[in-house]
Every structure is written in structure tokens, then in C-alpha cells.
Amino acid sequence: MPTLQLDLGTRSYPIYIDSGLFNNSDLFSSHIRNKRICIVTNTIVAPLYLANIKEKLTNFDVDEIILPDGEAEKNLANFERIMSHLLANEHGRDTTLIALGGGVIGDITGFAAASYQRGIDFVQVPTTLLSQVDSSVGGKTAVNHPLGKNMIGAFYQPKAVIIDIDSLSTLPEREFNAGMAEVIKYGILGDYDFFVWLEHNIALIKAGDKDTLSQMIEKCCQCKADIVASDEKEAGVRALLNLGHTFGHAIEAEQGYGNWLHGEAVATGMVLAAKLAVAMNLLEVSELCRIESLIKVFDLPLLAPKTMGFDNFVRHMRRDKKNIGGKLRFIVPTAIGQSEIRDDVTVEILQQIL
Ligand code: NAD
Ligand code: GLY
């Protein structure tokens, strides 16, 4: 039984969250329609999990693409590499891609699935906390361009999301903490009780308690699934999921992809969004302090890099996909558990907080 279901009519799909799922060959098989599979993964994840998963797929004709690791590899060159591999190995429309890895692998594989022969099936098998709570769910797929993050991509939903929480045991602490930024995001943007739950469960989360992690991941996936089900293509409420991303993407692009982790940039971005809200008299200073405290507990950065001046921020933010009619748009928290989209942020306020 799936843990959750993302309801999108004929494109609905199950999300499984549990320990030991990589050993469940029936689960994988049940979401693959035909004989051929291509697993897309990277040089870090392949030695950890590829053989185990391939072993469970003995009834299929499986090959793999192992990409270099890192955010900087989420690019058009590797997208082309996937296309070339699929063509050279005569994959047809009946192939299913499996994205085995973090958000980088999930995003580029999803975009490849959306594009190859105008669309083939894909299954998300996320192995980082960030990808388990956010990027594997909701069908945003993309690659980066040197001029902007996630600028080339498509909305394209997977056939299933399989989250084996055991994969977190091999994740470096810095990566785990980066994932916590997206977890905290759900609390700030729309769920006060979840924010409080996080404040109360810090020790168990840090200790990697499996029940606590399962509960936490399920809560995030449920929140994301609800939002995506009501606004798949980000015409409205889905934009709230970008809390902290307007500032965060600017930091990532300016620092060079991969130098700041995505989650780290989002953490600082959320602090800046909260400061913006305080400067606009939308948020109490005490709530900003609570947000900063929870972010700090997970060793995430509160301040933007010193080299990141106002002009650099604005240059990158002008390319933000949320902007309409050339106007910058920001997601701001109006309380812990509440947020809104604003396009009335003045240059003076931005200068003040940046
Ligand atoms: P990532 O994919 O680079 O993974 C982080 C690091 O962990 C990498 O070095 C990876 O090889 C390694 N890794 C992965 N699984 C591991 C495991 N189980 N054990 C040990 N190491 C492991 O980064 P990420 O944080 O997972 O994802 C960030 C990306 O996700 C960004 O490109 C971001 O734009 C994207 N994103 C997309 C969405 C979306 O909705 N599509 C949402 C949020 C973020
Ligand atoms: N991570 C933002 C979204 O999926 O909409």
C-alpha cells in the first residue's frame, strides 16, 4: 500500500515511504510497464545502491547511465549525454527511466523522460533528504543554465516515488542538514503545528530515529502533494513552495553551482524573506528569531556570503520565474505557518535587508 497518493486525475501516482523498500522487487516491478529500464544515477550513489536495485529487477532488461556528481552537472551537456545513451542503445517509448539519487539526478532524469521521444515513463527513487521531502514529488524537472537555475525544463510527473529512508544512513551530515532547510520551509509557509513538532523533535531527528524521520518525510510529502494537486503548474498557491528560493537561487547562481548547497541557500533565503517581512511590518521580530533558531540548530547559514551585494542579488532575481511583467515577486512569511506572495517590495526595503 502506498503511504500517500498525489491526486492528478489520470496522472496520479503513489508515494511509498518506508525502511527496506530497496529490497522490495515487487514494488519496483509493479510500476514498470514494459521490459526495458534505464537507471540514471551518479558516481556517488551508484556504488552504494545500484547493484542492490539491479538485483531486484532480474525480469527486466536494465542498463544504466552514471553521471558525474554535483549541481554543476545538472546541465544541457549531461542532458544530451542521456539522450545519446538512450538512442545509441535503441531505447524506445516503452523504456522506463529510474532516477536513483538526489535532486540533481531526479531533476535531470525527469527532464530527459519528458523529452525523449516526446515523453517516456520515469520513477523517482530519491536518496537525499532534500529529494525525499521535496524534489521527487510534484513533477518539476529541469537543468541549469549558466545564466540561471532550473531555467530549462518541464512539468512532467513520475509514475511513482519510492523513498527508502535507509538510504539516509549514508548521507553526509551537511547534506542531511541542507534537506532540513526544505523541511523547515513547510512549517514556515503553511503549518504552524509542524514547525512546533520540529522544534520538539530536534534531538530525535538529529539522532536519525527512523520513526521520527518517516513521520517527518510523510508530513512534507503530504503537504507538497496537497499543494501540487491543487496547482500543478504554479498558477497560484504552488509558488509558496518557493519560500526562500528567490534569494536562494541568486546566491547559488552567484557563488557558482555547488559551492553553496541548494538547501543552504534556501535556508539563508528564508531568513532574508523573514527579514523582508519584518521590514514590511508583516511579521513579528519574535517569529523571525524562532525561524532563525530552528535553522541554526541544523548548522545552516543565516547570512548571505559577504561578496553577495545588493546589485548581484537583483541581477539574478530579475530572472526569477515567478516574476510577472518585469516585477519582482517574493514569498514572505506573515506568521510561522502562513505566507503570501507579494509584488510590492520596494527597492528601499530590499536595500535595507540586503
Ligand atoms: P544532490 O542531488 O546534489 O545530492 C547531494 C549529494 O549527496 C550529492 O553529492 C549526491 O551524490 C549525494 N548523495 C545522494 N544520495 C546519497 C546517499 N544516499 N548517500 C550518500 N550520498 C548521497 O542534491 P540534493 O540536495 O538532493 O538536490 C538539490 C537539487 O534539487 C537542486 O538542483 C535543486 O534545484 C533541486 N530541487 C528540485 C526541486 C523540484 O521540485 N524539482 C525542489 C527542490 C530542489
Ligand atoms: N520546490 C518547489 C516546487 O516544487 O514547486
Side-chain angles (χ1 to χ4, degrees), residues 73-132:
E73 303 295 338
K74 200 176 100 175
N75 58 26
L76 280 173
N78 281 320
F79 171 80
E80 186 178 346
R81 186 170 159 186
I82 299 174
M83 296 295 119
S84 301
H85 173 98
L86 295 174
L87 286 166
N89 290 280
E90 297 179 353
H91 281 277
R93 276 209 173 133
D94 55 350
T95 283
T96 297
L97 298 186
I98 293 181
L100 173 65
V104 166
I105 288 296
D107 279 12
I108 195 170
T109 306
F111 184 41
S115 313
Y116 188 67
Q117 300 194 356
R118 302 199 179 90
I120 59 174
D121 287 357
F122 87 114
V123 173
Q124 287 273 20
V125 183
T127 59
T128 61
L129 179 62
L130 186 139
S131 56
Q132 295 178 354

Side-chain angles (χ1 to χ4, degrees), residues 134 137 140 185 224 234 238 241-242 245:
D134 191 352
V137 174
K140 276 191 182 176
K185 177 187 82 175
K224 182 144 188 191
E234 204 168 300
R238 185 167 180 170
L241 291 171
N242 291 319
H245 287 57

